[in-house]
Amino acid sequence: MKQHFLWLFSALALFSCTQKESTTNTISKTSFTKDSTTIKKVFDAALTDGQAYEWLRELTTDIGHRMSGSAQAQEAVEWGEQLMKDQGFDKVWLQPVMVPHWVRGEKEVANYTINGQKIDVPVCALGGSIATPSNGVTAEVIEVFSIEEAEKLGDKLKGKIVFFNRPFDATLVNTFAAYSGCVKQRGEGAKTAGPFGAVATIVRSMSSSINDYPHTGGMGYGDIPSDQYIPSAAISTLAAEKLSKHLKENPNLKFYLKQSCKTLPDAPSFNVIGEITGSEFPNKYITIGGHLDSWDLGQGAHDDGTGVVQSMEVLRLFKETGIKPRHTLRAVLFMNEEFGLRGGIKYADEAKLKNEIHVAAIESDAGGHTPRGFSYDGNKENVDEFMSWKPLFEPYGLHQWDIGYAGADIGPLKNKTISLSGYRPDSQRYFEYHHSANDTFDKVNARELHLGAAAMTSLVYMMDKYFDVEPVKK
Amino acid sequence: MKQHFLWLFSALALFSCTQKESTTNTISKTSFTKDSTTIKKVFDAALTDGQAYEWLRELTTDIGHRMSGSAQAQEAVEWGEQLMKDQGFDKVWLQPVMVPHWVRGEKEVANYTINGQKIDVPVCALGGSIATPSNGVTAEVIEVFSIEEAEKLGDKLKGKIVFFNRPFDATLVNTFAAYSGCVKQRGEGAKTAGPFGAVATIVRSMSSSINDYPHTGGMGYGDIPSDQYIPSAAISTLAAEKLSKHLKENPNLKFYLKQSCKTLPDAPSFNVIGEITGSEFPNKYITIGGHLDSWDLGQGAHDDGTGVVQSMEVLRLFKETGIKPRHTLRAVLFMNEEFGLRGGIKYADEAKLKNEIHVAAIESDAGGHTPRGFSYDGNKENVDEFMSWKPLFEPYGLHQWDIGYAGADIGPLKNKTISLSGYRPDSQRYFEYHHSANDTFDKVNARELHLGAAAMTSLVYMMDKYFDVEPVKK
């Protein structure tokens, strides 16, 4: 597209924004204009002087991935603490939490032979899985498309490697819905197949695209006896497509899997917390969080480096724009979201122990792409108020305001009075990166990241202004 | 983000879509339900069986960039013709058009010395520019931030290289508006500075990001005498920042520029046109277009390979889903949008000559990112009807329905009766790639591209159903 007619286009685009901004809504006209001005100031600051992208570069490329219990996770804790101190937040501290400590061990190996040709399979162990015997496991493969199908097969799974191959439903526009539709086979495959005597499970990677990156993720054995534990791994989507085809050619082909992962004793770690003290209600809190830990493939950029740096950027933007929050704002870098949620649980437990009053919480853990909206999951008194803010955010491209799930780490804070919200960026690319070696800094765009931080800051500004633990007062 | 609570989230997300779909609007309830079902069918087909991405791979990686008049442009013409024939469109033909033929020549060179250090400047000639003398041009640099500022300096430009350094306004959420705000210095810099005796112009690349890719683009000398023509080039945004800083240290530094581009005689080329014949009005047309030519850096992926493949995909999706259009649908791969608009002008001229009745036209030339909406620029009778379709598209993430500029290539079709629309994808990343070596296939995401094709197909379905050259009849 060249410059042809673009002067006109520009003028019209601006006109159209102005139109939108003057839309009537349930906030009084005076507040709408004032809030609109404040929000514009926030976006302008984020887009011209945003720091989140450079912070993300440090976190993802200087430190790298940050598996719970790892040395890099500890480095990230120290980095986050120092960064928030350098930003001059009123209070910065570490909240101790014990976390699971699972290690991958040697690079996994998987392969099989078909028509005399050896096929190497891109594979990675799932977090929490046990190892195979040191010389690996070899067995025939039985392909299924759901936990329920595996359960029905029952004893037929005995001695087999169970291959869970349910793909993402590509027709779901929201890729998180597609993820939800098949992630159970990753989390519960081994605990389903183990008791029937299967020797391992392999699962098609949880991804919206077909390529050769295996995607890891958490799994669990639930309450089954430990002698029924079997190794569980993910293979790439491309390998899954091939294996499925090859199984039709030769249902008796032998699959080889070797992995040496193991679970070590729980390790000490921390949530990292920074505060700006509230001017009116210093003992009432609004939490803004993402998770500092990541999987041990890639750099944990979209999951969830972006949420980490956006959370700190929210507080920085309050300072830069001179907005004084009424409540105390807390940026919380949660530890161990991926594999235990210990940080989120600890944070809520301590809040309860200390009788802290939490007014609201917002979580960014859906990637760092262009903002599309927010979800609301909180007290019923505030829901209409929350929804009425939509026209303030539409000029910045946030049109999707939904009732629903807010986030894993802030979930344990839920009670009758708190208002939880989940930041919702565009989801189309997220599951190409998620939990894989493909989740790297270069996949994040600075403007998209900073727009997200500005949107979150603006939402926190509104929550701080209009919400309290009592029903809304205006 | 892990699977925690995501089953719930999924259910709520689906619930929220259902809510939106049942929103009342100005389309009658029966039509809304029927249209909604058809649109879902289109999106499902595009997301599960979309062909556009693989077509784009061929166009951008097998053929590569496609400068008007080049051998690759001719290859692309033949490729598009064959592809549409292979798709079994009812009629496929080439529409001859003469196009400007500018060639870049040898790799450009630019540098200067500051504090004893030689700085190499990433540079590219602007399309339409003349060459420097064969040994280059060396001169002092005068930095300006607008055409108007250059005009005011007048004779002070004599003997100088004029450096236009106005950056994108980062606070504009729509990056096309930021582009519009500074592209004049690229297009009109040389024709402004030449008559005052400047020896060359260099312009800061039209980009939203700071990096070392120079971005080319069209420029013109207007009506100035040819002895006042001066060479004109773009330098990378990073180089522009550095040069600006170095000019403050030494305003007399000497800048060296060498380029050997030239304009050859006009060359024969073609618009490529494919049709599906209308069942009710075979002699009335709806045009769906993108431009086949590109600049000669990168692969012309987002500009405008994506528009090309989406346009053909619209017709293919009509066939795949079995929707019979009332009007004849035309996919038009326009030639020479970038640098002359000859294809768009030729197409409109021939339509007029043949007294063709054009009901509507839609253009995709703003990149292949996630769809956000459509613009409308057409007859006043249809505007309310067009806007009333928004609720049908919101479940697919298209919330931005604006009145304004539709597209360069379909612009010449404009008259009192036609309805023009521009496809509007997310704009945040576009100007990082636009007209540079960075505009490559790997920057395009398959789902985003196919969502766009589905959105365009759905819009064409609605236009075909509800629009005619007479005011809407329902």
Side-chain angles (χ1 to χ4, degrees):
Chain A
M1 183 185 259
K2 62 168 190 174
Q3 78 276 27
H4 222 81
F5 301 128
L6 274 173
W7 289 276
L8 177 64
F9 176 42
S10 166
L12 288 164
L14 294 171
F15 170 67
S16 130
C17 277
T18 314
Q19 275 192 311
K20 278 179 192 156
E21 280 175 10
S22 67
T23 307
T24 55
N25 64 92
T26 66
I27 309 174
S28 75
K29 183 71 189 159
T30 316
S31 294
F32 187 84
T33 305
K34 190 163 173 242
D35 293 336
S36 173
T37 304
T38 303
I39 288 172
K40 170 98 175 84
K41 194 160 75 169
V42 168
F43 273 87
D44 285 359
L47 287 169
T48 53
D49 187 36
Q51 302 298 308
Y53 188 68
E54 287 308 315
W55 293 346
L56 184 67
R57 187 197 301 276
E58 293 171 14
L59 178 63
T60 56
T61 67
D62 295 352
I63 299 174
H65 57 64
R66 308 165 297 280
M67 188 77 186
S68 287
S70 68
Q72 293 101 315
Q74 180 56 26
E75 263 187 83
V77 164
E78 291 162 19
W79 167 86
E81 182 186 23
Q82 189 58 50
L83 191 153
M84 291 202 274
K85 284 181 175 169
D86 292 346
Q87 289 302 313
F89 296 163
D90 296 327
K91 195 174 160 195
V92 178
W93 79 101
L94 301 183
Q95 182 175 57
V97 57
M98 293 300 289
V99 296
H101 190 192
W102 177 87
V103 292
R104 184 169 300 281
E106 285 168 31
K107 179 84 199 79
E108 304 85 344
V109 179
N111 56 56
Y112 60 94
T113 298
I114 181 99
N115 303 324
Q117 196 195 349
K118 184 180 163 203
I119 309 289
D120 284 315
V121 175
V123 63
C124 63
L126 294 180
S129 175
I130 61 167
T132 58
S134 60
N135 56 349
V137 59
T138 302
E140 286 183 2
V141 175
I142 190 160
E143 181 181 16
V144 296
F145 293 88
S146 68
I147 293 292
E148 295 69 28
E149 189 184 348
E151 279 167 347
K152 273 191 200 151
L153 285 167
D155 291 338
K156 290 182 185 153
L157 304 181
K158 188 167 182 166
K160 299 282 170 62
I161 291 176
V162 185
F163 169 34
F164 290 90
N165 194 24
R166 188 189 198 84
F168 269 36
D169 179 350
T171 68
L172 296 170
V173 175
N174 178 350
T175 61
F176 283 90
Y179 179 65
S180 300
C182 48
V183 70
K184 195 176 170 188
Q185 59 185 345
R186 185 191 77 202
E188 303 181 13
K191 96 173 179 197
T192 305
F196 292 118
V199 295
T201 70
I202 50 177
V203 63
R204 178 192 183 98
S205 283
M206 301 292 119
S207 178
S208 51
S209 62
I210 303 294
N211 61 36
D212 252 341
Y213 288 96
H215 295 238
T216 190
M219 56 76 66
Y221 295 108
D223 297 330
I224 64 173
S226 62
D227 62 355
Q228 293 178 358
Y229 287 10
I230 55 174
S232 194
I235 65 174
S236 74
T237 48
L238 188 57
E241 297 271 294
K242 275 192 219 165
L243 178 58
S244 183
K245 185 170 80 74
H246 288 151
L247 284 169
K248 287 173 187 70
E249 293 174 34
N250 177 9
N252 304 114
L253 68 79
K254 297 280 202 304
F255 192 97
Y256 173 75
L257 171 68
K258 184 183 165 199
Q259 59 190 29
S260 57
C261 47
K262 61 181 166 186
T263 300
L264 304 176
D266 283 1
S269 189
F270 305 93
N271 293 325
V272 188
I273 305 176
E275 278 187 10
I276 295 178
T277 309
S279 59
E280 202 172 331
F281 306 113
N283 297 319
K284 295 186 179 181
Y285 301 92
I286 296 178
T287 290
I288 305 108
H291 65 88
L292 195 51
D293 66 303
S294 76
W295 286 101
D296 59 336
L297 306 173
Q299 300 172 334
H302 278 288
D303 189 15
D304 181 28
T306 53
V308 163
V309 297
Q310 285 174 327
S311 298
M312 298 190 292
E313 180 80 340
V314 168
L315 269 60
R316 194 195 68 79
L317 284 168
F318 265 82
K319 283 177 70 87
E320 178 177 337
T321 55
I323 309 172
K324 306 277 181 216
R326 298 158 69 225
H327 305 87
T328 291
L329 305 187
R330 272 191 190 160
V332 182
L333 319 186
F334 291 100
M335 183 52 70
N336 184 233
E337 188 270 350
E338 291 296 0
F339 183 49
L341 206 68
R342 297 280 183 88
I345 294 164
K346 177 73 172 197
Y347 181 74
D349 284 351
E350 285 225 353
K352 198 173 264 181
L353 267 176
K354 294 179 180 170
N355 285 316
E356 287 177 355
I357 299 168
H358 284 254
V359 176
I362 174 171
E363 180 165 334
S364 168
D365 185 18
H369 295 101
T370 298
R372 303 303 299 264
F374 291 103
S375 68
Y376 180 79
D377 177 24
N379 80 59
K380 288 192 183 108
E381 288 75 18
N382 286 341
V383 63
D384 290 342
E385 175 69 20
F386 183 89
M387 290 296 167
S388 76
W389 300 339
K390 188 178 164 188
L392 286 163
F393 290 79
E394 285 179 330
Y396 304 96
L398 289 97
H399 301 87
Q400 295 174 195
W401 293 64
D402 299 322
I403 306 292
Y405 177 72
D409 278 313
I410 61 174
L413 285 173
K414 193 163 179 176
N415 60 27
K416 281 183 188 165
T417 55
I418 197 169
S419 295
L420 304 178
S421 176
Y423 170 59
R424 294 285 167 258
D426 197 274
S427 77
Q428 298 311 318
R429 296 181 182 219
Y430 184 65
F431 288 99
E432 298 194 4
Y433 313 139
H434 181 251
H435 295 189
S436 82
N438 204 15
D439 186 10
T440 49
F441 176 68
D442 58 299
K443 306 305 188 308
V444 179
N445 176 277
R447 278 184 64 86
E448 294 178 0
L449 181 71
H450 292 154
L451 280 168
M456 290 169 62
T457 307
S458 301
L459 190 77
V460 171
Y461 158 75
M462 294 298 286
M463 286 173 146
D464 178 61
K465 184 168 176 184
Y466 295 109
F467 282 177
D468 205 341
V469 289
E470 290 82 34
V472 185
K473 298 175 292 192
K474 274 195 302 185
Chain B
M1 183 184 260
K2 63 167 190 173
Q3 78 277 26
H4 221 81
F5 301 131
L6 274 174
W7 291 276
L8 176 65
F9 176 42
S10 166
L12 288 165
L14 294 171
F15 170 67
S16 132
C17 277
T18 314
Q19 276 192 309
K20 278 179 192 155
E21 280 174 10
S22 68
T23 307
T24 55
N25 63 92
T26 66
I27 308 174
S28 76
K29 184 69 191 161
T30 316
S31 294
F32 188 84
T33 304
K34 189 163 175 240
D35 293 336
S36 173
T37 303
T38 302
I39 288 171
K40 170 98 174 84
K41 194 159 75 168
V42 167
F43 273 88
D44 285 358
L47 287 169
T48 54
D49 188 36
Q51 301 299 308
Y53 187 69
E54 287 307 316
W55 293 346
L56 185 68
R57 187 196 301 275
E58 292 172 14
L59 178 64
T60 56
T61 67
D62 295 351
I63 298 175
H65 56 64
R66 307 164 298 280
M67 187 77 185
S68 288
S70 69
Q72 293 102 315
Q74 180 56 27
E75 264 188 82
V77 163
E78 291 162 17
W79 167 85
E81 183 186 23
Q82 188 60 50
L83 191 154
M84 291 202 274
K85 283 182 176 168
D86 292 346
Q87 288 302 313
F89 296 165
D90 296 327
K91 196 174 158 194
V92 178
W93 80 101
L94 303 183
Q95 182 176 59
V97 57
M98 293 299 290
V99 296
H101 190 193
W102 176 87
V103 292
R104 184 170 299 282
E106 286 168 30
K107 179 87 197 77
E108 304 85 343
V109 179
N111 56 57
Y112 59 93
T113 298
I114 181 99
N115 303 325
Q117 197 195 348
K118 185 180 162 202
I119 309 289
D120 284 315
V121 176
V123 65
C124 63
L126 294 180
S129 175
I130 61 168
T132 58
S134 60
N135 56 348
V137 58
T138 303
E140 287 183 1
V141 174
I142 189 160
E143 181 182 17
V144 296
F145 293 89
S146 68
I147 293 292
E148 296 68 30
E149 189 184 348
E151 279 168 346
K152 273 190 200 151
L153 286 167
D155 292 338
K156 289 181 185 155
L157 305 180
K158 189 166 180 168
K160 299 281 170 58
I161 291 175
V162 185
F163 169 33
F164 290 90
N165 194 24
R166 187 189 198 85
F168 270 36
D169 179 349
T171 68
L172 295 170
V173 175
N174 178 349
T175 61
F176 283 90
Y179 179 64
S180 300
C182 49
V183 70
K184 197 176 169 188
Q185 60 184 345
R186 185 191 77 202
E188 303 180 12
K191 96 173 179 196
T192 305
F196 293 118
V199 296
T201 69
I202 50 177
V203 63
R204 178 192 181 98
S205 284
M206 300 293 118
S207 178
S208 50
S209 61
I210 302 294
N211 62 35
D212 252 341
Y213 289 96
H215 296 237
T216 190
M219 55 76 65
Y221 294 109
D223 297 328
I224 64 173
S226 63
D227 63 353
Q228 292 178 359
Y229 287 12
I230 55 174
S232 192
I235 66 174
S236 73
T237 48
L238 189 56
E241 298 270 294
K242 275 192 217 163
L243 178 58
S244 183
K245 184 170 80 76
H246 288 151
L247 284 169
K248 287 174 187 69
E249 293 175 34
N250 177 9
N252 304 115
L253 67 79
K254 296 281 200 304
F255 192 96
Y256 173 75
L257 172 67
K258 185 183 163 197
Q259 59 189 30
S260 58
C261 48
K262 61 181 167 187
T263 301
L264 303 175
D266 282 2
S269 189
F270 303 93
N271 292 325
V272 187
I273 305 176
E275 278 187 10
I276 294 178
T277 309
S279 60
E280 202 172 332
F281 307 112
N283 297 318
K284 294 185 180 182
Y285 300 92
I286 296 178
T287 291
I288 306 107
H291 66 87
L292 195 51
D293 66 303
S294 76
W295 285 102
D296 59 336
L297 307 173
Q299 300 172 334
H302 278 288
D303 189 15
D304 179 29
T306 52
V308 162
V309 296
Q310 284 173 327
S311 297
M312 298 190 292
E313 180 81 339
V314 168
L315 268 60
R316 193 194 70 77
L317 285 168
F318 264 82
K319 282 176 71 88
E320 178 176 339
T321 54
I323 310 172
K324 305 279 181 214
R326 298 159 69 225
H327 306 87
T328 291
L329 304 187
R330 272 192 191 160
V332 183
L333 321 185
F334 291 100
M335 183 52 70
N336 185 233
E337 189 270 350
E338 291 295 1
F339 182 49
L341 206 67
R342 297 278 183 89
I345 293 165
K346 177 73 171 198
Y347 181 74
D349 284 351
E350 284 224 356
K352 198 173 265 181
L353 266 176
K354 293 178 180 167
N355 285 317
E356 287 177 357
I357 299 168
H358 284 255
V359 175
I362 174 172
E363 181 165 334
S364 168
D365 186 17
H369 295 101
T370 298
R372 304 302 299 263
F374 290 103
S375 68
Y376 180 79
D377 177 22
N379 81 59
K380 290 192 181 108
E381 287 74 19
N382 285 341
V383 62
D384 289 343
E385 174 69 19
F386 183 91
M387 290 295 167
S388 76
W389 300 339
K390 189 178 163 187
L392 286 163
F393 290 78
E394 285 178 331
Y396 305 97
L398 288 98
H399 301 86
Q400 296 175 194
W401 293 64
D402 299 321
I403 306 293
Y405 177 72
D409 278 314
I410 60 174
L413 285 172
K414 192 163 181 178
N415 59 28
K416 281 183 187 165
T417 55
I418 197 170
S419 295
L420 304 178
S421 177
Y423 170 59
R424 295 285 166 258
D426 197 273
S427 77
Q428 298 312 317
R429 296 182 182 219
Y430 184 65
F431 288 100
E432 298 193 4
Y433 313 140
H434 182 251
H435 295 188
S436 83
N438 205 14
D439 185 11
T440 49
F441 177 68
D442 58 300
K443 307 304 188 308
V444 179
N445 176 276
R447 278 185 64 85
E448 294 178 359
L449 182 71
H450 291 155
L451 281 169
M456 289 168 63
T457 307
S458 301
L459 191 76
V460 171
Y461 159 75
M462 294 298 285
M463 287 173 147
D464 178 61
K465 184 167 177 185
Y466 295 109
F467 282 177
D468 205 339
V469 289
E470 290 83 32
V472 184
K473 298 175 293 193
K474 275 195 299 184

